[in-house]
Amino acid sequence: MNLYRYSDTELKALLKTMVILCDTREQANDHITGYLKKKEVPYQSKALSFGDYSAMIPANAEMGIMRDLFFDQSVVIERKGSLEELSGNLTNGRERFKDELTRASKAEFHLMIEGKSFSDIINHRYTTQFNEKAYMASLLSLQSEHGFNLAFIDRNDAGLYIYSFLYYHVRNKFLKG
């Protein structure tokens, strides 16, 4: 659903004002906020109902946006810093994780796992006792059930991925006419 129609020049100017929202509970994300600072991308902490990152466009009366536009109910990125963290979410914290996925059911939900690959799960290159076949089955079953996207991202590229994904989502889904 496109809310507004802008020329390419207006669209680029408006997207330069996009603010990345970081959930207030997000920890150990200096590499992400460092990237955003370096690239002069505005960001702010905000309690998100689900997920760790989303975006907003500040009010801009000249462009017909009379109030801040928050996208935290339509698109989020949930970051997992390791396969060990995700393993905990799929075992001991499974019900809490499923509750988060249910709360996010109307949003485009992206699960971003830093520093590892699917191959690392298959070959048990993580330090928990979660069996690799059960790990894979649990992750893929939840993905199928809840329809989220899965991305394995190098830790050094996490900030770029978060910014770029949210930039194009906001551009394509809400601003481009």
Side-chain angles (χ1 to χ4, degrees), residues 130-144:
F130 196 17
N131 173 281
E132 58 277 1
K133 289 180 183 175
Y135 196 144
M136 182 181 69
S138 183
L139 180 60
L140 295 177
S141 177
L142 281 176
Q143 183 183 25
S144 175

Side-chain angles (χ1 to χ4, degrees), residues 3 29 37 51 74 81 95 105-106 108 138 143 158 175:
L3 300 176
N29 69 341
K37 284 178 194 173
S74 63
E95 288 308 310
S105 65
K106 290 186 169 57
E108 191 169 327
S138 183
Q143 183 183 25
L175 298 177

